[in-house]
Amino acid sequence: MKWEGNRESDNVEDRRSSGGGMPVFGGRSIGIGTIVIALLGGWALGINPLTILSLLSGGGAPTAQVQQAPAQRPPADDTMGRFVATVLADTEDVWQGVFREGGATYQEPRLVLFRGATPTACGTGQAAMGPFYCPADQKVYIDLGFYETLKSRLGAPGDFAQAYVIAHEVGHHVQHQLGISGKVDQMRGRVSQAEYNALSVRLELQADCFAGVWAHHAHNARQILEQGDVEEAMNAAAKIGDDALQRAGGGAVVPESFTHGSSAQRQRWFNNGLQNGNIKTCDTFSSRNL
Ligand SMILES: [Zn+2]
């Protein structure tokens, strides 16, 4: 991926040096067992920190304990930080354009770099959950250690795979702006768990499609894609499919429990966005065939 020298976003909040300490959920600390289960359970790239966090903390409404640190650019010798800030800036440029064309205004999300655990408006964010988006504070949270997990444990190396992760989370922010995730969230408790999971899958596949839409426009405008980049993203989409994660976790593949979609579905929807560059083709909610 060609990114060096491109604009870096001002919306990065770097909390990496303020990390540390034992993460606490509702008075209980979460041991390594939960963390491993969380990772293998396929929460990497999960939206719905609301569900996840309330699950981990034993219920209760998310508390608004937002830490509003001033945004600051990563230091110049911090390649990964600069990479993330550059990809975020690219998503800002693309989504501003897409929203403008639709007669709307895109509100840029913030992106928080953290280590270990950090407070969010959705409860305590945990590195083990994988990167996530919190709609309540409109921030994407990522512990860069996830990229090592993505490469070494999940078998998805490459800078464009890393960019896809950010674009997917920004895709959740776009869904939030469009009111889509709010509608899905309202269904929680009103439908069965299996039905809610099915809605979650459609939401996640749409975020993958939006990531593809970003890549389409970013490449048209800035020629960011190099040989092998699309394959890196497609491989990552496959490695974080629910069936692949369940298999990797040594368990049976249980489609009703899917919350993000199968490997094949994630690849298909990312590619759909990439090829068409049009959010209208990302309507996973009315698609009969995911
Ligand atoms: Zn997601």
Side-chain angles (χ1 to χ4, degrees):
M1 178 181 169
K2 290 218 306 273
W3 63 273
E4 299 218 43
N6 291 352
R7 183 175 77 83
E8 291 178 35
S9 174
D10 292 322
N11 290 310
V12 174
E13 199 177 303
D14 195 344
R15 298 184 193 165
R16 284 173 295 177
S17 55
S18 62
M22 193 65 186
V24 171
F25 290 94
R28 288 179 296 130
S29 62
I30 296 296
I32 188 74
T34 311
I35 288 168
V36 170
I37 290 164
L39 189 61
L40 296 179
W43 290 345
L45 298 195
I47 185 194
N48 262 331
L50 293 169
T51 315
I52 295 162
L53 292 170
S54 60
L55 211 113
L56 284 177
S57 61
T63 47
Q65 38 172 307
V66 189
Q67 231 179 31
Q68 196 70 32
Q72 60 198 91
R73 286 193 186 184
D77 60 351
D78 172 21
T79 306
M80 277 317 298
R82 284 179 38 241
F83 172 78
V84 169
T86 305
V87 172
L88 183 65
D90 204 311
T91 65
E92 290 163 357
D93 293 342
V94 166
W95 287 112
Q96 270 162 13
V98 171
F99 272 59
R100 201 181 308 119
E101 260 175 41
T105 306
Y106 179 63
Q107 311 281 346
E108 297 169 354
R110 301 279 287 267
L111 184 148
V112 177
L113 295 173
F114 73 101
R115 273 193 237 274
T118 196
T120 84
C122 301
T124 302
Q126 271 289 339
M129 290 161 35
F132 64 94
Y133 172 71
C134 173
D137 55 24
Q138 305 198 43
K139 292 180 183 180
V140 170
Y141 291 86
I142 182 167
D143 180 321
L144 294 178
F146 175 74
Y147 285 148
E148 186 55 36
T149 303
L150 188 66
K151 183 172 89 172
S152 307
R153 279 186 69 181
L154 300 175
D159 57 1
F160 195 63
Q162 296 171 341
Y164 155 66
V165 169
I166 297 167
H168 173 97
E169 297 309 333
V170 170
H172 284 314
H173 174 70
V174 172
Q175 291 175 313
H176 177 64
Q177 295 259 286
L178 297 175
I180 297 167
S181 33
K183 283 199 182 118
V184 169
D185 205 46
Q186 281 169 13
M187 298 307 286
R188 195 203 323 270
R190 293 202 212 163
V191 296
S192 72
Q193 189 61 47
E195 286 168 317
Y196 187 77
N197 288 348
L199 282 173
S200 170
V201 166
R202 289 176 190 271
L203 194 68
E204 293 298 331
L205 293 176
Q206 186 175 65
D208 283 335
C209 189
F210 285 177
V213 168
W214 161 71
H216 175 101
H217 290 286
H219 186 61
N220 278 355
R222 287 170 286 282
Q223 290 78 50
I224 60 164
L225 294 175
E226 295 176 304
Q227 188 79 31
D229 278 345
V230 171
E231 289 77 8
E232 282 175 11
M234 291 291 274
N235 176 53
K239 293 291 163 60
I240 56 178
D242 285 324
D243 48 345
L245 287 172
Q246 288 183 348
R247 237 176 260 121
V253 173
V254 185
E256 306 86 73
S257 70
F258 286 4
T259 53
H260 287 68
S262 70
S263 301
Q265 289 170 332
R266 299 199 71 161
Q267 287 187 319
R268 194 179 311 133
W269 283 99
F270 174 78
N271 196 46
N272 179 357
L274 178 67
Q275 299 304 324
N276 295 300
N278 185 341
I279 60 169
K280 291 199 177 76
T281 67
C282 295
D283 188 359
T284 54
F285 290 92
S286 47
S287 173
R288 295 184 65 184
N289 191 3
L290 291 176

